[in-house]
mmCIF file of all heavy atoms in Angstrom:
data_model
loop_
_atom_site.group_PDB
_atom_site.id
_atom_site.type_symbol
_atom_site.label_atom_id
_atom_site.label_comp_id
_atom_site.label_asym_id
_atom_site.label_seq_id
_atom_site.Cartn_x
_atom_site.Cartn_y
_atom_site.Cartn_z
ATOM 1 N N THR D 355 31.515 25.092 53.572
ATOM 2 C CA THR D 355 30.670 25.661 54.637
ATOM 3 C C THR D 355 31.118 27.068 54.944
ATOM 4 O O THR D 355 32.232 27.493 54.624
ATOM 5 C CB THR D 355 30.772 24.817 55.911
ATOM 6 O OG1 THR D 355 32.111 24.882 56.392
ATOM 7 C CG2 THR D 355 30.380 23.376 55.654
ATOM 8 N N ALA D 356 30.249 27.819 55.620
ATOM 9 C CA ALA D 356 30.551 29.216 55.931
ATOM 10 C C ALA D 356 31.745 29.333 56.873
ATOM 11 O O ALA D 356 32.510 30.293 56.817
ATOM 12 C CB ALA D 356 29.325 29.886 56.537
ATOM 13 N N THR D 357 31.945 28.372 57.774
ATOM 14 C CA THR D 357 33.051 28.438 58.738
ATOM 15 C C THR D 357 34.384 28.120 58.085
ATOM 16 O O THR D 357 35.426 28.595 58.524
ATOM 17 C CB THR D 357 32.800 27.450 59.888
ATOM 18 O OG1 THR D 357 32.631 26.142 59.339
ATOM 19 C CG2 THR D 357 31.561 27.853 60.658
ATOM 20 N N GLU D 358 34.381 27.328 57.030
ATOM 21 C CA GLU D 358 35.625 26.932 56.390
ATOM 22 C C GLU D 358 36.084 27.929 55.333
ATOM 23 O O GLU D 358 37.254 28.253 55.235
ATOM 24 C CB GLU D 358 35.477 25.553 55.757
ATOM 25 C CG GLU D 358 35.261 24.431 56.771
ATOM 26 C CD GLU D 358 34.974 23.113 56.092
ATOM 27 O OE1 GLU D 358 34.732 23.122 54.868
ATOM 28 O OE2 GLU D 358 34.969 22.070 56.770
ATOM 29 N N SER D 359 35.160 28.414 54.536
ATOM 30 C CA SER D 359 35.570 29.248 53.412
ATOM 31 C C SER D 359 34.685 30.466 53.193
ATOM 32 O O SER D 359 35.050 31.353 52.437
ATOM 33 C CB SER D 359 35.584 28.406 52.129
ATOM 34 O OG SER D 359 34.273 27.958 51.863
ATOM 35 N N GLY D 360 33.530 30.461 53.821
ATOM 36 C CA GLY D 360 32.621 31.571 53.594
ATOM 37 C C GLY D 360 31.705 31.393 52.409
ATOM 38 O O GLY D 360 30.784 32.179 52.201
ATOM 39 N N TRP D 361 31.918 30.337 51.620
ATOM 40 C CA TRP D 361 31.073 30.103 50.448
ATOM 41 C C TRP D 361 29.856 29.254 50.827
ATOM 42 O O TRP D 361 29.974 28.238 51.495
ATOM 43 C CB TRP D 361 31.849 29.373 49.346
ATOM 44 C CG TRP D 361 32.816 30.247 48.625
ATOM 45 C CD1 TRP D 361 34.146 30.380 48.872
ATOM 46 C CD2 TRP D 361 32.520 31.112 47.537
ATOM 47 N NE1 TRP D 361 34.723 31.279 48.005
ATOM 48 C CE2 TRP D 361 33.739 31.753 47.168
ATOM 49 C CE3 TRP D 361 31.361 31.447 46.843
ATOM 50 C CZ2 TRP D 361 33.830 32.683 46.147
ATOM 51 C CZ3 TRP D 361 31.443 32.366 45.821
ATOM 52 C CH2 TRP D 361 32.659 32.975 45.474
ATOM 53 N N ILE D 362 28.689 29.676 50.424
ATOM 54 C CA ILE D 362 27.484 28.874 50.591
ATOM 55 C C ILE D 362 26.695 28.921 49.295
ATOM 56 O O ILE D 362 26.900 29.791 48.447
ATOM 57 C CB ILE D 362 26.582 29.371 51.748
ATOM 58 C CG1 ILE D 362 26.032 30.766 51.424
ATOM 59 C CG2 ILE D 362 27.322 29.368 53.067
ATOM 60 C CD1 ILE D 362 24.930 31.190 52.363
ATOM 61 N N ALA D 363 25.799 27.989 49.171
ATOM 62 C CA ALA D 363 24.969 27.911 47.964
ATOM 63 C C ALA D 363 23.577 28.410 48.270
ATOM 64 O O ALA D 363 23.011 28.111 49.319
ATOM 65 C CB ALA D 363 24.891 26.477 47.456
ATOM 66 N N ARG D 364 23.040 29.221 47.384
ATOM 67 C CA ARG D 364 21.654 29.644 47.483
ATOM 68 C C ARG D 364 20.786 28.582 46.809
ATOM 69 O O ARG D 364 20.559 28.615 45.615
ATOM 70 C CB ARG D 364 21.462 31.001 46.822
ATOM 71 C CG ARG D 364 22.026 32.151 47.644
ATOM 72 C CD ARG D 364 21.845 33.477 46.930
ATOM 73 N NE ARG D 364 22.293 34.586 47.748
ATOM 74 C CZ ARG D 364 22.495 35.822 47.294
ATOM 75 N NH1 ARG D 364 22.285 36.084 46.009
ATOM 76 N NH2 ARG D 364 22.899 36.775 48.092
ATOM 77 N N GLY D 365 20.304 27.668 47.585
ATOM 78 C CA GLY D 365 19.556 26.543 47.046
ATOM 79 C C GLY D 365 20.054 25.248 47.645
ATOM 80 O O GLY D 365 21.131 25.193 48.223
ATOM 81 N N ALA D 366 19.260 24.192 47.549
ATOM 82 C CA ALA D 366 19.631 22.911 48.148
ATOM 83 C C ALA D 366 20.711 22.229 47.325
ATOM 84 O O ALA D 366 20.736 22.314 46.097
ATOM 85 C CB ALA D 366 18.417 22.016 48.249
ATOM 86 N N CYS D 367 21.628 21.556 48.034
ATOM 87 C CA CYS D 367 22.688 20.808 47.351
ATOM 88 C C CYS D 367 22.398 19.313 47.335
ATOM 89 O O CYS D 367 23.044 18.564 46.622
ATOM 90 C CB CYS D 367 24.029 21.050 48.026
ATOM 91 S SG CYS D 367 24.809 22.606 47.532
ATOM 92 N N THR D 368 21.493 18.877 48.158
ATOM 93 C CA THR D 368 21.126 17.467 48.192
ATOM 94 C C THR D 368 19.648 17.328 47.888
ATOM 95 O O THR D 368 18.848 18.214 48.183
ATOM 96 C CB THR D 368 21.428 16.847 49.568
ATOM 97 O OG1 THR D 368 20.695 17.554 50.568
ATOM 98 C CG2 THR D 368 22.918 16.924 49.867
ATOM 99 N N LEU D 369 19.281 16.227 47.288
ATOM 100 C CA LEU D 369 17.893 15.951 46.926
ATOM 101 C C LEU D 369 17.425 14.710 47.667
ATOM 102 O O LEU D 369 18.046 13.659 47.572
ATOM 103 C CB LEU D 369 17.761 15.741 45.418
ATOM 104 C CG LEU D 369 18.129 16.946 44.546
ATOM 105 C CD1 LEU D 369 18.115 16.556 43.081
ATOM 106 C CD2 LEU D 369 17.170 18.093 44.793
ATOM 107 N N GLU D 370 16.362 14.844 48.426
ATOM 108 C CA GLU D 370 15.833 13.709 49.163
ATOM 109 C C GLU D 370 15.028 12.803 48.244
ATOM 110 O O GLU D 370 14.332 13.268 47.343
ATOM 111 C CB GLU D 370 14.946 14.194 50.314
ATOM 112 C CG GLU D 370 15.688 14.972 51.385
ATOM 113 C CD GLU D 370 14.763 15.368 52.523
ATOM 114 O OE1 GLU D 370 13.563 15.031 52.443
ATOM 115 O OE2 GLU D 370 15.245 15.994 53.473
ATOM 116 N N ASP D 371 15.130 11.499 48.474
ATOM 117 C CA ASP D 371 14.325 10.552 47.708
ATOM 118 C C ASP D 371 12.852 10.811 47.975
ATOM 119 O O ASP D 371 12.444 11.193 49.078
ATOM 120 C CB ASP D 371 14.682 9.116 48.100
ATOM 121 C CG ASP D 371 16.120 8.775 47.727
ATOM 122 O OD1 ASP D 371 16.701 9.523 46.919
ATOM 123 O OD2 ASP D 371 16.640 7.782 48.254
ATOM 124 N N GLN D 372 12.042 10.599 46.946
ATOM 125 C CA GLN D 372 10.619 10.880 47.035
ATOM 126 C C GLN D 372 9.813 9.623 46.714
ATOM 127 O O GLN D 372 10.223 8.799 45.891
ATOM 128 C CB GLN D 372 10.221 11.994 46.058
ATOM 129 C CG GLN D 372 10.925 13.316 46.287
ATOM 130 C CD GLN D 372 10.313 14.115 47.412
ATOM 131 O OE1 GLN D 372 9.231 13.784 47.896
ATOM 132 N NE2 GLN D 372 10.999 15.179 47.839
ATOM 133 N N SER D 373 8.660 9.498 47.368
ATOM 134 C CA SER D 373 7.705 8.426 47.069
ATOM 135 C C SER D 373 6.353 9.055 46.797
ATOM 136 O O SER D 373 5.956 10.010 47.466
ATOM 137 C CB SER D 373 7.598 7.438 48.234
ATOM 138 O OG SER D 373 8.820 6.754 48.422
ATOM 139 N N ALA D 374 5.659 8.534 45.802
ATOM 140 C CA ALA D 374 4.358 9.077 45.440
ATOM 141 C C ALA D 374 3.417 7.942 45.063
ATOM 142 O O ALA D 374 3.810 7.007 44.365
ATOM 143 C CB ALA D 374 4.493 10.063 44.279
ATOM 144 N N LYS D 375 2.188 8.024 45.539
ATOM 145 C CA LYS D 375 1.150 7.071 45.175
ATOM 146 C C LYS D 375 0.211 7.738 44.186
ATOM 147 O O LYS D 375 -0.314 8.817 44.456
ATOM 148 C CB LYS D 375 0.385 6.596 46.405
ATOM 149 C CG LYS D 375 -0.594 5.474 46.120
ATOM 150 C CD LYS D 375 -1.213 4.927 47.390
ATOM 151 C CE LYS D 375 -2.138 3.752 47.088
ATOM 152 N NZ LYS D 375 -2.727 3.186 48.345
ATOM 153 N N THR D 376 0.024 7.110 43.047
ATOM 154 C CA THR D 376 -0.800 7.693 41.992
ATOM 155 C C THR D 376 -1.918 6.743 41.596
ATOM 156 O O THR D 376 -1.817 5.530 41.774
ATOM 157 C CB THR D 376 0.038 8.010 40.745
ATOM 158 O OG1 THR D 376 0.645 6.799 40.260
ATOM 159 C CG2 THR D 376 1.141 9.014 41.077
ATOM 160 N N LYS D 377 -2.970 7.319 41.042
ATOM 161 C CA LYS D 377 -4.085 6.528 40.528
ATOM 162 C C LYS D 377 -3.773 6.042 39.114
ATOM 163 O O LYS D 377 -3.043 6.686 38.365
ATOM 164 C CB LYS D 377 -5.362 7.369 40.515
ATOM 165 C CG LYS D 377 -5.841 7.808 41.874
ATOM 166 C CD LYS D 377 -7.094 8.652 41.756
ATOM 167 C CE LYS D 377 -6.782 9.998 41.106
ATOM 168 N NZ LYS D 377 -7.966 10.888 41.089
ATOM 169 N N THR D 378 -4.330 4.898 38.766
ATOM 170 C CA THR D 378 -4.274 4.391 37.394
ATOM 171 C C THR D 378 -5.701 4.125 36.936
ATOM 172 O O THR D 378 -6.397 3.279 37.504
ATOM 173 C CB THR D 378 -3.452 3.099 37.294
ATOM 174 O OG1 THR D 378 -2.118 3.351 37.742
ATOM 175 C CG2 THR D 378 -3.409 2.599 35.859
ATOM 176 N N ILE D 379 -6.147 4.887 35.947
ATOM 177 C CA ILE D 379 -7.520 4.782 35.458
ATOM 178 C C ILE D 379 -7.510 4.752 33.932
ATOM 179 O O ILE D 379 -6.850 5.570 33.294
ATOM 180 C CB ILE D 379 -8.389 5.962 35.938
ATOM 181 C CG1 ILE D 379 -8.423 6.025 37.466
ATOM 182 C CG2 ILE D 379 -9.810 5.851 35.387
ATOM 183 C CD1 ILE D 379 -9.146 7.241 38.006
ATOM 184 N N GLU D 380 -8.211 3.803 33.367
ATOM 185 C CA GLU D 380 -8.445 3.746 31.922
ATOM 186 C C GLU D 380 -9.920 3.439 31.697
ATOM 187 O O GLU D 380 -10.393 2.365 32.080
ATOM 188 C CB GLU D 380 -7.593 2.663 31.254
ATOM 189 C CG GLU D 380 -6.100 2.900 31.311
ATOM 190 C CD GLU D 380 -5.330 1.793 30.613
ATOM 191 O OE1 GLU D 380 -5.894 1.210 29.652
ATOM 192 O OE2 GLU D 380 -4.204 1.489 31.035
ATOM 193 N N THR D 381 -10.659 4.369 31.132
ATOM 194 C CA THR D 381 -12.071 4.145 30.833
ATOM 195 C C THR D 381 -12.349 4.513 29.385
ATOM 196 O O THR D 381 -11.703 5.403 28.826
ATOM 197 C CB THR D 381 -12.991 4.977 31.755
ATOM 198 O OG1 THR D 381 -12.716 6.377 31.550
ATOM 199 C CG2 THR D 381 -12.749 4.628 33.215
ATOM 200 N N ASN D 382 -13.320 3.830 28.803
ATOM 201 C CA ASN D 382 -13.653 4.082 27.405
ATOM 202 C C ASN D 382 -15.098 3.689 27.149
ATOM 203 O O ASN D 382 -15.564 2.645 27.601
ATOM 204 C CB ASN D 382 -12.707 3.300 26.485
ATOM 205 C CG ASN D 382 -12.965 3.572 25.022
ATOM 206 O OD1 ASN D 382 -13.771 2.892 24.383
ATOM 207 N ND2 ASN D 382 -12.291 4.568 24.483
ATOM 208 N N VAL D 383 -15.787 4.536 26.412
ATOM 209 C CA VAL D 383 -17.151 4.265 25.959
ATOM 210 C C VAL D 383 -17.159 4.356 24.442
ATOM 211 O O VAL D 383 -16.718 5.361 23.874
ATOM 212 C CB VAL D 383 -18.162 5.266 26.549
ATOM 213 C CG1 VAL D 383 -19.563 4.978 26.021
ATOM 214 C CG2 VAL D 383 -18.156 5.215 28.064
ATOM 215 N N SER D 384 -17.632 3.310 23.782
ATOM 216 C CA SER D 384 -17.663 3.278 22.325
ATOM 217 C C SER D 384 -19.089 3.006 21.849
ATOM 218 O O SER D 384 -19.724 2.041 22.290
ATOM 219 C CB SER D 384 -16.718 2.196 21.787
ATOM 220 O OG SER D 384 -16.775 2.136 20.376
ATOM 221 N N TRP D 385 -19.562 3.876 20.963
ATOM 222 C CA TRP D 385 -20.929 3.766 20.428
ATOM 223 C C TRP D 385 -20.856 3.790 18.905
ATOM 224 O O TRP D 385 -20.310 4.716 18.319
ATOM 225 C CB TRP D 385 -21.785 4.915 20.955
ATOM 226 C CG TRP D 385 -23.190 4.906 20.463
ATOM 227 C CD1 TRP D 385 -24.149 3.971 20.690
ATOM 228 C CD2 TRP D 385 -23.812 5.916 19.648
ATOM 229 N NE1 TRP D 385 -25.328 4.325 20.076
ATOM 230 C CE2 TRP D 385 -25.157 5.511 19.435
ATOM 231 C CE3 TRP D 385 -23.368 7.115 19.094
ATOM 232 C CZ2 TRP D 385 -26.045 6.272 18.684
ATOM 233 C CZ3 TRP D 385 -24.270 7.883 18.343
ATOM 234 C CH2 TRP D 385 -25.583 7.443 18.145
ATOM 235 N N LYS D 386 -21.352 2.726 18.274
ATOM 236 C CA LYS D 386 -21.269 2.605 16.824
ATOM 237 C C LYS D 386 -22.650 2.437 16.211
ATOM 238 O O LYS D 386 -23.475 1.673 16.705
ATOM 239 C CB LYS D 386 -20.403 1.403 16.437
ATOM 240 C CG LYS D 386 -18.953 1.519 16.860
ATOM 241 C CD LYS D 386 -18.154 0.307 16.408
ATOM 242 C CE LYS D 386 -16.700 0.421 16.822
ATOM 243 N NZ LYS D 386 -15.910 -0.751 16.369
ATOM 244 N N GLN D 387 -22.857 3.183 15.146
ATOM 245 C CA GLN D 387 -24.049 3.018 14.332
ATOM 246 C C GLN D 387 -23.632 2.854 12.878
ATOM 247 O O GLN D 387 -22.442 2.840 12.559
ATOM 248 C CB GLN D 387 -24.983 4.222 14.507
ATOM 249 C CG GLN D 387 -25.709 4.246 15.839
ATOM 250 C CD GLN D 387 -26.876 5.205 15.836
ATOM 251 O OE1 GLN D 387 -26.829 6.246 15.191
ATOM 252 N NE2 GLN D 387 -27.932 4.860 16.559
ATOM 253 N N GLU D 388 -24.602 2.731 12.008
ATOM 254 C CA GLU D 388 -24.295 2.451 10.613
ATOM 255 C C GLU D 388 -23.447 3.553 9.984
ATOM 256 O O GLU D 388 -22.536 3.288 9.203
ATOM 257 C CB GLU D 388 -25.591 2.284 9.823
ATOM 258 C CG GLU D 388 -25.370 1.913 8.365
ATOM 259 C CD GLU D 388 -26.681 1.714 7.614
ATOM 260 O OE1 GLU D 388 -27.760 1.786 8.262
ATOM 261 O OE2 GLU D 388 -26.629 1.486 6.404
ATOM 262 N N ARG D 389 -23.717 4.823 10.337
ATOM 263 C CA ARG D 389 -23.032 5.933 9.681
ATOM 264 C C ARG D 389 -22.137 6.743 10.608
ATOM 265 O O ARG D 389 -21.480 7.683 10.161
ATOM 266 C CB ARG D 389 -24.071 6.863 9.045
ATOM 267 C CG ARG D 389 -24.930 6.181 7.980
ATOM 268 C CD ARG D 389 -25.955 7.122 7.407
ATOM 269 N NE ARG D 389 -25.355 8.259 6.727
ATOM 270 C CZ ARG D 389 -26.045 9.216 6.112
ATOM 271 N NH1 ARG D 389 -27.374 9.159 6.102
ATOM 272 N NH2 ARG D 389 -25.435 10.216 5.524
ATOM 273 N N GLN D 390 -22.081 6.399 11.881
ATOM 274 C CA GLN D 390 -21.260 7.198 12.786
ATOM 275 C C GLN D 390 -20.681 6.354 13.918
ATOM 276 O O GLN D 390 -21.233 5.310 14.282
ATOM 277 C CB GLN D 390 -22.069 8.362 13.355
ATOM 278 C CG GLN D 390 -23.270 7.955 14.174
ATOM 279 C CD GLN D 390 -24.011 9.172 14.707
ATOM 280 O OE1 GLN D 390 -23.402 10.169 15.088
ATOM 281 N NE2 GLN D 390 -25.335 9.107 14.713
ATOM 282 N N THR D 391 -19.566 6.834 14.442
ATOM 283 C CA THR D 391 -18.883 6.200 15.569
ATOM 284 C C THR D 391 -18.482 7.281 16.564
ATOM 285 O O THR D 391 -17.912 8.306 16.174
ATOM 286 C CB THR D 391 -17.631 5.442 15.103
ATOM 287 O OG1 THR D 391 -18.003 4.447 14.150
ATOM 288 C CG2 THR D 391 -16.947 4.774 16.283
ATOM 289 N N LEU D 392 -18.780 7.036 17.833
ATOM 290 C CA LEU D 392 -18.449 7.984 18.890
ATOM 291 C C LEU D 392 -17.707 7.250 19.998
ATOM 292 O O LEU D 392 -18.185 6.239 20.512
ATOM 293 C CB LEU D 392 -19.714 8.641 19.447
ATOM 294 C CG LEU D 392 -19.519 9.614 20.616
ATOM 295 C CD1 LEU D 392 -18.755 10.843 20.147
ATOM 296 C CD2 LEU D 392 -20.869 10.013 21.210
ATOM 297 N N THR D 393 -16.516 7.739 20.369
ATOM 298 C CA THR D 393 -15.755 7.154 21.470
ATOM 299 C C THR D 393 -15.329 8.266 22.419
ATOM 300 O O THR D 393 -14.947 9.358 21.985
ATOM 301 C CB THR D 393 -14.508 6.406 20.972
ATOM 302 O OG1 THR D 393 -13.667 7.316 20.254
ATOM 303 C CG2 THR D 393 -14.897 5.253 20.065
ATOM 304 N N ALA D 394 -15.384 7.969 23.705
ATOM 305 C CA ALA D 394 -14.963 8.913 24.737
ATOM 306 C C ALA D 394 -14.161 8.157 25.778
ATOM 307 O O ALA D 394 -14.482 7.016 26.125
ATOM 308 C CB ALA D 394 -16.171 9.590 25.380
ATOM 309 N N GLY D 395 -13.102 8.783 26.280
ATOM 310 C CA GLY D 395 -12.245 8.116 27.242
ATOM 311 C C GLY D 395 -11.721 9.052 28.303
ATOM 312 O O GLY D 395 -11.642 10.274 28.111
#
Side-chain angles (χ1 to χ4, degrees):
T355 64
T357 57
E358 294 174 349
S359 63
W361 285 96
I362 65 168
R364 286 179 176 166
C367 279
T368 59
L369 297 173
E370 295 183 0
D371 295 344
Q372 300 280 349
S373 295
K375 187 173 183 179
T376 59
K377 296 179 291 185
T378 300
I379 301 174
E380 295 181 30
T381 61
N382 183 271
V383 178
S384 178
W385 179 64
K386 296 182 180 181
Q387 286 196 326
E388 183 178 356
R389 299 179 62 178
Q390 62 180 322
T391 301
L392 177 67
T393 59

